Amino acid sequence: GAGVSQSPRYKVAKRGQDVALRCDPISGHVSLFWYQQALGQGPEFLTYFQNEAQLDKSGLPSDRFFAERPEGSVSTLKIQRTQQEDSAVYLCASSLYGGNTEAFFGQGTRLTVV
Amino acid sequence: GQQLNQSPQSMFIQEGEDVSMNCTSSSIFNTWLWYKQDPGEGPVLLIALYKAGELTSNGRLTAQFGITRKDSFLNISASIPSDVGIYFCAGWGRGGNTPLVFGKGTRLSVIA
């Protein structure tokens, strides 16, 4: 596609429910990033893929967070047993190569845990 | 980890005024990116800077990569109402696999 696409745009989950957020990067982009953005804050890094390899997951806040990109294209961020503090906008970005290149963001998924 | 300090946190300006915001870091960055984010949307890339000292323009926007590689600024000339939003600086650190780090943003309000 022309840009990074994320789905769903909005997700309401009951506390304890599992959720899966999808990211379709720009076609041909090698690198894919997930960020978490709390209200009024800048995006905070979660994890980074180069093709199907997860090179950095140091930003994942707990072991309830899991991300995969099995075929080096679409990525899924899964949150198990959601908690209220997980409520945030989850942003996905892709870039043609790794670092030092332009990174393009999707519109984000707003997750609300009730 | 690497931190970016962005200032000011917010600005209220009159339509037609020029705007300046900056970003500093205690460590060196190899690339600086500037984004604008509207409510309910993802950040949109405005300008990318790749070389120390580089000055790049995109319409009414001008950004510079500081000589020390530890800072960058963004100027907006002759602001208009649609410039309202949150502006973020972001930087790629040294090493090919370091994540893109963001500042906390500058919220710009334009009074017509």
Side-chain angles (χ1 to χ4, degrees):
Chain A
V4 178
S5 177
Q6 291 187 246
S7 61
R9 285 293 310 277
Y10 305 93
K11 176 70 179 176
V12 178
K14 289 187 178 175
R15 194 158 53 103
Q17 195 176 4
D18 297 349
V19 298
L21 313 180
R22 177 187 169 106
C23 174
D24 278 274
I26 293 172
S27 178
H29 277 198
V30 167
S31 297
L32 185 146
F33 309 85
W34 284 98
Y35 286 81
Q36 181 189 60
Q37 187 175 28
L39 194 63
Q41 300 295 317
E44 295 282 344
F45 171 76
L46 293 177
T47 187
Y48 160 45
F49 289 86
Q50 196 165 88
N51 295 307
E52 68 278 4
Q54 189 173 20
L55 297 187
D56 187 341
K57 55 181 180 179
S58 62
L60 296 176
S62 78
D63 58 8
R64 296 185 295 103
F65 286 70
F66 171 75
E68 59 183 6
R69 194 187 185 198
E71 296 177 0
S73 178
V74 170
S75 176
T76 304
L77 176 67
K78 297 179 180 177
I79 309 173
Q80 297 177 322
R81 305 180 304 282
T82 52
Q83 303 295 316
Q84 283 192 317
E85 62 263 27
D86 300 334
S87 296
V89 174
Y90 290 85
L91 294 165
C92 175
S94 72
S95 66
L96 187 56
Y97 301 112
N100 301 316
T101 58
E102 298 174 347
F104 300 93
F105 281 81
Q107 291 180 302
T109 294
R110 179 177 295 279
L111 173 66
T112 304
V113 181
V114 298
Chain B
Q2 294 171 315
Q3 300 282 334
L4 291 182
N5 300 308
Q6 191 170 348
S7 64
Q9 285 189 334
S10 61
M11 304 180 73
F12 289 83
I13 61 167
Q14 295 279 348
E15 184 177 356
E17 285 184 353
D18 296 344
V19 172
S20 184
M21 59 192 78
N22 68 78
C23 213
T24 60
S25 171
S26 58
S27 53
I28 287 174
F29 282 84
N30 289 337
T31 299
W32 288 92
L33 305 176
W34 283 92
Y35 291 86
K36 177 175 184 268
Q37 188 174 28
D38 292 328
E41 302 294 329
V44 174
L45 183 64
L46 299 174
I47 289 182
L49 301 160
Y50 298 103
K51 283 187 190 178
E54 180 182 355
L55 186 72
T56 297
S57 292
N58 177 7
R60 293 179 296 107
L61 276 60
T62 302
Q64 184 157 30
F65 191 147
I67 293 286
T68 64
R69 297 167 71 187
K70 292 183 179 181
D71 63 319
S72 176
F73 72 74
L74 175 71
N75 285 346
I76 305 172
S77 62
S79 58
I80 59 178
S82 61
D83 291 334
V84 166
I86 304 177
Y87 292 80
F88 291 101
C89 61
W92 292 106
R94 301 185 107 165
N97 295 327
T98 55
L100 184 63
V101 177
F102 279 79
K104 293 192 182 302
T106 294
R107 182 181 295 274
L108 179 64
S109 300
V110 179
I111 304 165

